[in-house]
Amino acid sequence: MLNFVKHFGIKYFRGIFSRDNLANAITKECGIVNLDSKIGPGTDWVCYKNIDNYCEHFDSFGLKMPTDIQKYMATCGKQIVYSGDEIQDRISVLCRCWCLYYLLERQKGRSILQTLHNSEFDLSDQSVNHRFIKNYFKIV
C-alpha cells in the first residue's frame, strides 16, 4: 500500500494505522486507517485528510465514523466532515483502493462533493462503482 502512496505522490501522507494505533494529535496530514485493532486481521479501510479548512473522513461503505477516529480528528480544532454515502459494493474487498482514489482526487483539487458524487457512480447499484474503481486502477 505504501508503494502505491509513493507511486502516486500523495502529499502529507502520515501513514497507515489501525484505529487503536493513531497518534495523540493530528497535524497537516492525510492517512489510511484500518478499523480493526492492531492485533486483528483487518476489516474496513478508511482514510482522513487534514490539510485544508476542515478535517475530512472517508469510508466507501458510508459507515458512521468510529469514536476513536473522531477523537483523533477533533484534535485539529476544525470542523469534521464526512459522507454517509455507500459507494462500495458490499461484497468488494477494494476499500483500500477507494481510500487511494479519495486521497488522489482530493489532491487534484476536486471538491469533496465532486469526489464522492462522481457522475460515474451509482448509489443504487454499487456493482457499477466496483467496475469503476477496478478500471480506475486497472485491476484485473
Side-chain angles (χ1 to χ4, degrees):
M1 185 85 139
L2 286 174
N3 289 336
F4 286 112
V5 170
K6 289 178 185 175
H7 173 76
F8 292 121
I10 297 175
K11 297 175 184 171
Y12 305 107
F13 192 78
R14 186 165 188 180
I16 301 171
F17 310 96
S18 59
R19 68 187 280 177
D20 61 347
N21 198 28
L22 292 164
N24 291 329
I26 197 168
T27 61
K28 184 176 185 176
E29 66 183 71
C30 62
I32 297 175
V33 181
N34 189 286
L35 296 185
D36 203 352
S37 68
K38 61 185 170 189
I39 60 170
T43 59
D44 185 20
W45 295 87
V46 300
C47 63
Y48 66 89
K49 178 181 176 283
N50 180 43
I51 297 169
D52 301 318
N53 298 329
Y54 37 86
C55 198
E56 303 170 17
H57 174 266
F58 171 72
D59 181 348
S60 55
F61 285 126
L63 301 174
K64 184 177 174 187
M65 187 184 334
T67 305
D68 39 6
I69 294 176
Q70 191 169 13
K71 286 180 184 177
Y72 176 66
M73 293 176 68
T75 63
C76 72
K78 300 176 186 176
Q79 178 184 359
I80 299 171
V81 295
Y82 64 95
S83 171
D85 293 333
E86 181 181 344
I87 59 174
Q88 182 176 338
D89 192 338
R90 287 285 170 178
I91 62 169
S92 171
V93 293
L94 300 178
C95 45
R96 290 179 282 185
C97 294
W98 282 107
C99 289
L100 289 172
Y101 166 80
Y102 183 83
L103 294 174
L104 284 167
E105 291 298 302
R106 291 294 289 121
Q107 183 169 287
K108 290 177 187 175
R110 294 187 68 184
S111 74
I112 297 169
L113 290 177
Q114 287 174 317
T115 301
L116 293 177
H117 297 277
N118 182 320
S119 62
E120 297 183 53
F121 293 171
D122 187 330
L123 296 179
S124 62
D125 181 3
Q126 285 78 19
S127 66
V128 171
N129 307 336
H130 183 75
R131 288 188 298 276
F132 167 84
I133 200 68
K134 284 176 64 174
N135 289 332
Y136 186 88
F137 288 107
K138 311 246 184 308
I139 301 168
V140 179

